[in-house]
Each structure stands twice: as C-alpha cells, then as structure tokens.
C-alpha cells in the first residue's frame, strides 16, 4: 500500500502543516468573522424589527383605547342629552295638560253657571206664567179677580210642594 | 490484472515539484496540491458566499451560513459556551476533511484523507491540543480524569490503566477510522470499476453497482468528516469539563 511508504510521509506532513495553518488563519481572521458579522447583523435586524412591531402594536392599542374611550364618552353624552330632552318634553306636556285642564274646568264652571242662571230664569218665567194662568183660571172659575199676591203665594206654595 | 491497473495506484503520492527544505524532502506532491486546492476552495466558498451580505441569503450564502451554524451548534451542544474559542479550529478541521473527502470523489483526483500520515497528523494535533487545553485549564487535577468516581479502591488498579490506555488510544482510533473508510471506499470503487472494463457487455451490472456505491461514498465522505469533528468536540468537552 502506498499509504505505508515512509518516504512519502514528510512531504505530506509538511504540506499538511502549511495548508492547515493557512486555512486556520484564513478561517479565523477572514471567513468566519464575515459570516459572524452577517449573522449578527441579521439577528440584530430581526430583533429591531420585532421591537418596532411591538412598538407599533402598542401604538395601535393605545389608539384603539382612545377611540373606545371617545366612543363611550359620546354614548354617555348622547344618553344624557336624550334624558334631558325627554324630561323637558315631559315637563312641557305636563304644563300644557294642567293649563288645558284648568281652562276646561273654568269653561265647565261657566257653563254650569249659565245653565243655573237659565234654570232660575226659566223657573221665574214658569212662575209668572203659572200665576197668570192661575189668575185667569180663577176668573174663569169664580168670576172674580183674586189679588195677584194671593195667587202668587199659592203658586209658590204649590211649586215648593211639587219640587 | 496489470500492475498499472492496481486499485492501490490511486493512493500513490507523486511529486509534482521537487523541493528540498534544509535537506528534508518538502516536494509539492499531488497530495499537497489537493490540500492547497481544498484551502482555496473552502476560502472562496465562504468568502464569496457571504460577499453580498444579504439579509435574505441566496442559495450559496445559505450553504456557507449552514456550514458555519452546523459546526457552531455542534460545538455549543457538546462543549457549551466555553467551546466558542475553539470554533475556528474545529471549523477548519471539519471543512478541511470534508472538502478533501469530497475532492477525492472527483475522477482522477487524489484523496488526501486516505493517507494515515495525514489523518494521523490531524488526530495527533487534536490529541496534543486537547491535552494541552486540559493541562492548562486544570493543571495536575487533570489526572483525576483517569480515576472514575464511585469505583472501589481495588478496582482502581484495573480501571486506571485502562483509562490511561484508552486515552492514548484516542488518536489511533480517531485517525484510523477516517483513513480506513476513505481507503476502503476508494479501493472498492476502483475494483468494481475494473470489473466494468473486464466483463464487457455484462459490465453494466458492476456499473449499476458503482453508481450506487459512488452515492454511498459521497455520503461517507460527509459522515466521516462529521464523525471526526464531533469526536474532536467530545475530546474538547472532556478537556474543558473533565467529565466522562
């Protein structure tokens, strides 16, 4: 086997030494730092992107909270306005109600008074007619006139009894 | 089978440029050339891959990042946070073995990692570094690593020599595993490749087999690089934490 040819060992070992040391130095000083740099830059970039995303999310959250607060406030205000308007409308309706009731009552009273007056007047007229009628009837029955006062008294008595 | 068709011929180390370094043979061989090719390929793969420094990586950049994160995660899982300083070393080791293994799958290429000299040197380097780390971190307390807790005293006379022996066997198993896998795989491919030529029309049968075996060998190339690296991580963990 050529592998056990001792004379070939020395040139192999010398060149192995040279090439491996050169490779080690190239890796250590040139190639690996570059890759490290690329990987670190990337991981830093990713971390900063994640940070930025978290920041933006926080911003969006705060905007959402603000929006919700504004919405809640607007809703409260609308409710208050609605209650106010409802109360005012109810008060106005009550006032109008009272006014109308008062007027109607007054009108009813006035009407009752007029009816009472008309009744009194009618009763007086009925009495006068009854008196005249009674006077006339007496003349016809007994042929002589009776004093008006007497007739009136009798009519009043009769009317009182009738009523 | 003629000598030129030997399945072992592919493992021959041939000098391309004759060099002498203080009387020592430092010739640039086919092995050395493929090592240089691997270093260049790894460096270009990684540096050109992340050249655009894209936030959203393309395919190439993804592969470079994946290789990085694969080893970084392996080291973190086995050793923990203290493993970070060994990352360039472990990463270089993994990429070197992986690319040398994969380059070995190219036709007419040479498999650097099919030589015990190379795998042995790599394993010995790991062994020396790990032992140095253990001694630097724990001093002489490192020797307690060979004395498992909860073992009765009489048993220790048996257990401690076994522990010491197994510790020193580490570089051997570590290197032979990679060397044997690579050598056996490539030899097998070559042998079946020879059958294809010899069997004429019926050569289609070993040909089908060789296609499947090539897929298997590519998987083994990755797997053995992984195994070598994860064992290195485990040894580093032992050295850092002194635990079994």
């Amino acid at each position: 086997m050529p592998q056990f040819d001792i004379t070939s060992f020395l040139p192999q070992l010398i060149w192995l030494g040279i090439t491996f040391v050169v490779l080690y130095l190239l890796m250590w000083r040139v190639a690996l730092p570059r890759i490290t740099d690329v990987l670190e830059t990337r991981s830093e970039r990713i971390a900063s992107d994640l940070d930025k995303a978290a920041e933006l999310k926080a911003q969006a959250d705060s905007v959402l909270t603000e929006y919700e607060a504004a919405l809640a406030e607007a809703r409260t205000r609308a409710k208050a306005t609605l209650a106010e308007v409802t109360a005012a409308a109810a008060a106005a309706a009550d006032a109008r109600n009272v006014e109308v009731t008062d007027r109607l009552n007054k009108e009813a009273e006035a009407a009752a008074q007029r009816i009472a007056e008309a009744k009194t007047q009618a009763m007086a007229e009925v009495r006068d007619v009854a008196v005249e009628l009674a006077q006339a009837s007496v003349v016809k029955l007994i042929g002589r006139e009776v004093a008006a006062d007497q007739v009136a008294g009798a009519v009043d008595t009769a009317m009182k009894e009738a009523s | 089978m003629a000598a030129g068709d030997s399945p072992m011929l592919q493992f021959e180390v041939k000098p391309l440029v004759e060099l002498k370094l203080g009387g020592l043979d430092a010739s640039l061989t086919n092995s050395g050339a493929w090592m240089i090719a691997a270093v260049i390929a790894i460096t270009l793969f990684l540096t050109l891959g992340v050249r655009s420094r894209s936030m959203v990586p393309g395919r190439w950049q993804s592969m470079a990042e994946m290789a990085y994160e694969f080893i970084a995660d392996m080291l973190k899982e086995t050793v923990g946070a203290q493993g970070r300083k060994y990352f360039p070393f472990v990463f270089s080791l993994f990429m070197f073995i992986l690319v040398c293994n994969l380059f070995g799958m190219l036709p007419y290429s040479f498999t650097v990692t099919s030589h015990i000299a190379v795998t042995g040197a790599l394993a010995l380097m790991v062994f020396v570094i790990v032992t140095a780390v253990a001694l630097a971190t724990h001093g002489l307390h490192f020797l307690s690593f060979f004395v498992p807790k909860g073992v009765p005293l009489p048993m220790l006379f048996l257990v401690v020599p076994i522990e010491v022996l197994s510790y020193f066997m580490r570089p051997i198993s570590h290197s032979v595993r990679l060397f044997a896998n690579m050598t056996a795989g490539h030899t097998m491919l070559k042998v079946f490749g020879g059958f294809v030529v010899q069997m004429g029309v019926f050569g289609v049968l070993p040909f089908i087999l060789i296609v499947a075996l090539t897929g298997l060998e590519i998987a083994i190339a990755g797997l053995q690089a992984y195994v070598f690296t994860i064992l290195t991580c485990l040894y580093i963990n032992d050295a850092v934490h002194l635990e079994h």
Side-chain angles (χ1 to χ4, degrees):
Chain A
M1 274 172 94
Q3 279 92 333
F4 300 122
D5 174 12
I6 305 286
T7 58
S8 79
F9 279 21
L10 199 56
Q12 283 190 79
L13 292 176
I14 288 171
W15 282 98
L16 175 66
I18 295 168
T19 52
F20 194 80
V21 167
V22 168
L23 178 69
Y24 176 75
L25 292 175
L26 282 171
M27 293 298 106
W28 180 36
R29 287 294 184 200
V30 183
L32 294 178
R34 287 188 194 178
I35 302 178
T36 309
D37 189 40
V38 167
L39 293 177
E40 270 172 9
T41 311
R42 180 179 309 140
S43 65
E44 271 164 25
R45 171 77 178 278
I46 288 170
S48 87
D49 280 1
L50 284 177
D51 284 354
K52 208 183 283 169
E55 198 180 302
L56 288 175
K57 191 181 176 298
Q59 266 177 31
D61 282 351
S62 81
V63 167
L64 185 67
T65 317
E66 267 170 39
Y67 163 77
E68 274 170 356
L71 195 66
E73 202 202 316
R75 204 171 282 150
T76 320
R77 220 184 300 154
K79 229 177 255 174
T81 310
L82 189 65
E84 219 171 89
V85 168
T86 312
D94 280 353
R96 185 101 49 83
N97 213 357
V98 168
E99 191 191 319
V100 169
T101 312
D102 277 359
R103 208 176 60 211
L104 288 179
N105 284 347
K106 267 178 208 151
E107 276 174 15
E109 263 170 48
Q113 210 175 328
R114 270 205 310 279
I115 290 167
E117 269 168 27
K119 195 181 165 190
T120 317
Q121 203 181 338
M123 288 299 265
E125 276 167 15
V126 165
R127 181 179 162 269
D128 287 352
V129 170
V131 170
E132 272 170 34
L133 201 62
Q135 222 169 355
S137 302
V138 166
V139 171
K140 280 265 173 89
L141 286 173
I142 60 174
R144 76 169 171 107
E145 282 196 25
V146 185
D149 294 349
Q150 269 182 306
V151 175
V155 167
D156 285 344
T157 313
M159 278 179 76
K160 243 173 230 160
E161 277 166 15
S163 66
Chain B
M1 199 182 287
D5 295 336
S6 163
M8 289 296 148
L9 203 65
Q10 59 176 325
F11 300 119
E12 206 128 300
V13 178
K14 288 175 233 140
L16 304 176
V17 183
E18 301 271 2
L19 286 172
K20 289 281 178 195
L21 205 74
L24 299 173
D25 180 15
S27 302
L28 178 64
T29 59
N30 50 353
S31 171
W34 281 104
M35 290 176 194
I36 293 170
V39 170
I40 292 171
I42 294 165
T43 308
L44 291 182
F45 167 68
L46 293 172
T47 51
L48 295 183
V50 297
R51 180 191 36 183
S52 60
R53 304 170 153 265
S54 305
M55 269 303 140
V56 180
R59 283 178 211 172
W60 191 355
Q61 191 179 327
S62 285
M63 287 204 297
E65 288 176 9
M66 231 149 70
Y68 178 102
E69 284 176 334
F70 179 62
I71 299 302
D73 290 348
M74 188 196 289
L75 204 53
K76 196 184 281 176
E77 273 165 30
T78 51
V79 187
Q82 297 106 308
R84 185 68 201 178
K85 55 180 170 242
Y86 310 106
F87 178 57
F89 170 67
V90 175
F91 186 80
S92 305
L93 197 61
F94 173 73
M95 289 307 280
F96 186 76
I97 295 171
L98 177 69
V99 172
C100 286
N101 287 355
L102 289 175
F103 273 180
M105 293 308 297
L106 295 172
Y108 302 106
S109 71
F110 176 87
T111 316
V112 174
T113 44
S114 68
H115 275 259
I116 188 71
V118 171
T119 63
L122 289 173
L124 211 58
M125 172 176 67
V126 170
F127 180 79
V128 168
I129 288 175
V130 162
T131 309
V133 165
L135 283 172
T137 320
H138 304 285
L140 283 178
H141 189 63
F142 162 63
L143 293 176
S144 75
F145 182 71
F146 302 111
V147 187
K149 287 190 194 81
V151 178
L153 191 65
M155 285 296 287
L156 283 179
F157 289 103
L158 191 64
V159 172
V160 171
I162 292 175
E163 288 288 338
V164 173
L165 190 65
S166 81
Y167 188 79
F168 285 94
M169 285 295 279
R170 273 176 176 185
I172 297 171
S173 65
H174 203 187
S175 58
V176 168
R177 185 179 298 109
L178 178 59
F179 150 70
N181 266 288
M182 288 302 120
T183 304
H186 285 272
T187 308
M188 187 168 60
L189 285 181
K190 202 75 171 184
V191 167
F192 280 102
F195 288 166
V196 176
V197 178
Q198 286 172 357
M199 288 169 72
V201 180
F202 300 105
V204 74
L205 294 173
F207 182 75
I208 292 167
L209 195 64
I210 218 172
V211 170
L213 284 176
T214 303
L216 181 71
E217 280 305 312
I218 291 171
I220 287 174
L223 189 71
Q224 287 305 320
Y226 170 75
V227 168
F228 198 97
T229 315
I230 195 139
L231 282 170
T232 304
C233 289
L234 291 173
Y235 297 161
I236 292 173
N237 180 48
D238 283 346
V240 173
H241 297 117
L242 277 196
E243 288 160 1
H244 276 282

Coordinates of all heavy atoms in Angstrom, one line a residue, chain B residues 139-168:
Chain B
G139 N -4.5 21.9 35.3 CA -3.3 21.6 36.0 C -3.2 20.1 36.2 O -3.6 19.3 35.4
L140 N -2.6 19.8 37.4 CA -2.4 18.3 37.7 C -3.7 17.7 38.0 O -3.8 16.5 38.0 CB -1.4 18.2 38.8 CG 0.1 18.4 38.4 CD1 1.0 18.2 39.6 CD2 0.4 17.4 37.3
H141 N -4.7 18.5 38.4 CA -6.0 18.0 38.6 C -6.6 17.2 37.5 O -7.5 16.3 37.6 CB -7.0 19.1 39.0 CG -8.3 18.7 39.5 ND1 -8.5 18.0 40.7 CD2 -9.6 18.8 39.0 CE1 -9.7 17.7 40.9 NE2 -10.4 18.2 39.9
F142 N -6.0 17.5 36.3 CA -6.4 16.7 35.0 C -6.2 15.2 35.2 O -7.0 14.5 34.6 CB -5.5 17.3 33.9 CG -5.4 16.4 32.7 CD1 -6.6 16.1 32.0 CD2 -4.2 15.8 32.3 CE1 -6.5 15.3 30.9 CE2 -4.2 15.0 31.2 CZ -5.4 14.7 30.5
L143 N -5.2 14.8 36.1 CA -5.0 13.4 36.2 C -6.2 12.7 36.8 O -6.4 11.5 36.7 CB -3.8 13.2 37.1 CG -2.5 13.6 36.5 CD1 -1.3 13.5 37.4 CD2 -2.2 12.8 35.2
S144 N -7.1 13.4 37.5 CA -8.3 12.8 38.1 C -9.2 12.3 37.0 O -10.1 11.5 37.3 CB -9.0 13.8 39.0 OG -9.7 14.8 38.1
F145 N -9.0 12.8 35.8 CA -9.8 12.3 34.7 C -9.7 10.8 34.5 O -10.6 10.1 34.1 CB -9.3 13.0 33.4 CG -10.1 12.6 32.2 CD1 -11.4 13.0 32.0 CD2 -9.5 11.8 31.2 CE1 -12.1 12.7 30.9 CE2 -10.2 11.5 30.0 CZ -11.5 11.9 29.9
F146 N -8.5 10.2 34.9 CA -8.3 8.8 34.7 C -8.8 8.0 35.9 O -8.6 6.8 35.9 CB -6.7 8.5 34.6 CG -6.2 9.3 33.4 CD1 -5.3 10.3 33.5 CD2 -6.6 8.9 32.1 CE1 -4.8 11.0 32.4 CE2 -6.1 9.6 31.0 CZ -5.2 10.6 31.1
V147 N -9.3 8.7 36.9 CA -9.8 8.0 38.1 C -11.3 8.2 38.2 O -11.8 9.2 38.7 CB -9.1 8.5 39.4 CG1 -9.5 7.7 40.6 CG2 -7.6 8.5 39.2
P148 N -12.1 7.3 37.7 CA -13.5 7.5 37.7 C -14.1 7.5 39.1 O -13.6 6.8 40.0 CB -14.1 6.3 36.9 CG -12.9 5.7 36.2 CD -11.7 6.0 37.0
K149 N -15.1 8.3 39.3 CA -15.7 8.4 40.6 C -16.6 7.2 40.9 O -17.1 6.6 40.0 CB -16.6 9.7 40.7 CG -15.8 11.0 40.7 CD -16.7 12.2 41.0 CE -16.0 13.5 40.8 NZ -16.0 13.8 39.3
G150 N -16.6 6.8 42.2 CA -17.5 5.7 42.7 C -17.0 4.4 42.4 O -17.7 3.4 42.4
V151 N -15.7 4.3 42.0 CA -15.1 2.9 41.8 C -14.4 2.5 43.0 O -13.6 3.3 43.6 CB -14.2 3.0 40.6 CG1 -13.6 1.6 40.4 CG2 -14.9 3.4 39.3
P152 N -14.6 1.3 43.6 CA -13.9 0.8 44.8 C -12.4 0.8 44.5 O -11.9 0.5 43.4 CB -14.5 -0.6 45.0 CG -15.5 -0.8 44.0 CD -15.6 0.3 43.0
L153 N -11.7 1.0 45.6 CA -10.2 1.1 45.5 C -9.5 0.0 44.8 O -8.7 0.2 43.9 CB -9.6 1.3 46.9 CG -8.1 1.8 47.0 CD1 -7.9 3.1 46.3 CD2 -7.6 1.7 48.4
P154 N -9.8 -1.3 45.2 CA -9.1 -2.4 44.5 C -9.3 -2.4 43.0 O -8.4 -2.7 42.2 CB -9.8 -3.6 45.1 CG -10.5 -3.2 46.3 CD -10.8 -1.8 46.1
M155 N -10.5 -1.9 42.6 CA -10.9 -1.9 41.1 C -10.1 -0.9 40.4 O -9.8 -1.0 39.2 CB -12.4 -1.6 40.9 CG -13.3 -2.8 41.3 SD -13.0 -4.2 40.1 CE -13.7 -3.5 38.6
L156 N -9.7 0.2 41.2 CA -8.9 1.3 40.5 C -7.6 0.8 39.9 O -7.2 1.3 38.9 CB -8.6 2.4 41.5 CG -9.8 3.3 41.8 CD1 -9.4 4.4 42.9 CD2 -10.4 4.0 40.6
F157 N -7.0 -0.2 40.5 CA -5.8 -0.7 40.0 C -6.0 -1.3 38.6 O -5.0 -1.3 37.8 CB -5.2 -1.8 40.9 CG -4.7 -1.3 42.2 CD1 -5.4 -1.4 43.3 CD2 -3.4 -0.6 42.2 CE1 -4.9 -0.8 44.5 CE2 -3.0 0.0 43.3 CZ -3.7 -0.1 44.5
L158 N -7.2 -1.7 38.3 CA -7.5 -2.2 37.0 C -8.0 -1.1 36.1 O -7.7 -1.0 34.9 CB -8.6 -3.3 37.1 CG -8.9 -4.2 35.9 CD1 -7.7 -5.0 35.5 CD2 -10.1 -5.1 36.2
V159 N -8.9 -0.2 36.7 CA -9.6 0.8 35.9 C -8.7 1.9 35.4 O -8.7 2.3 34.2 CB -10.8 1.4 36.6 CG1 -11.4 2.5 35.9 CG2 -11.8 0.3 36.9
V160 N -7.8 2.4 36.3 CA -6.9 3.5 35.9 C -6.0 3.2 34.7 O -6.0 3.9 33.7 CB -6.1 4.0 37.1 CG1 -5.1 5.0 36.7 CG2 -7.1 4.6 38.1
P161 N -5.3 2.0 34.7 CA -4.5 1.7 33.5 C -5.4 1.6 32.2 O -4.9 2.1 31.2 CB -3.9 0.3 33.8 CG -3.9 0.3 35.3 CD -5.1 1.0 35.8
I162 N -6.6 1.1 32.4 CA -7.5 1.0 31.2 C -7.8 2.4 30.7 O -7.8 2.7 29.5 CB -8.8 0.2 31.5 CG1 -8.4 -1.2 31.7 CG2 -9.8 0.3 30.4 CD1 -9.6 -2.1 32.2
E163 N -8.1 3.3 31.7 CA -8.5 4.7 31.3 C -7.3 5.4 30.6 O -7.5 6.1 29.6 CB -8.9 5.5 32.6 CG -10.2 5.1 33.2 CD -11.4 5.6 32.3 OE1 -11.2 6.5 31.5 OE2 -12.5 5.0 32.4
V164 N -6.1 5.2 31.2 CA -4.9 5.8 30.6 C -4.7 5.3 29.2 O -4.5 6.0 28.2 CB -3.7 5.6 31.5 CG1 -2.4 6.1 30.8 CG2 -3.9 6.3 32.8
L165 N -4.8 4.0 29.1 CA -4.6 3.3 27.8 C -5.6 3.8 26.7 O -5.3 4.2 25.6 CB -4.7 1.8 27.9 CG -4.3 1.0 26.7 CD1 -2.8 1.2 26.4 CD2 -4.6 -0.5 26.9
S166 N -6.9 3.9 27.2 CA -7.9 4.3 26.2 C -7.7 5.8 25.8 O -8.0 6.2 24.7 CB -9.3 4.1 26.8 OG -9.7 5.1 27.7
Y167 N -7.2 6.6 26.8 CA -6.9 8.0 26.4 C -5.8 8.1 25.3 O -6.0 8.8 24.4 CB -6.5 8.7 27.7 CG -6.3 10.2 27.5 CD1 -7.5 11.0 27.4 CD2 -5.1 10.8 27.2 CE1 -7.4 12.4 27.2 CE2 -5.0 12.2 27.0 CZ -6.1 13.0 27.0 OH -6.0 14.3 26.8
F168 N -4.8 7.2 25.5 CA -3.7 7.3 24.5 C -4.1 6.6 23.2 O -3.4 6.8 22.2 CB -2.4 6.8 25.1 CG -1.8 7.8 26.0 CD1 -2.0 7.7 27.4 CD2 -1.0 8.8 25.5 CE1 -1.5 8.7 28.2 CE2 -0.5 9.8 26.4 CZ -0.7 9.7 27.7

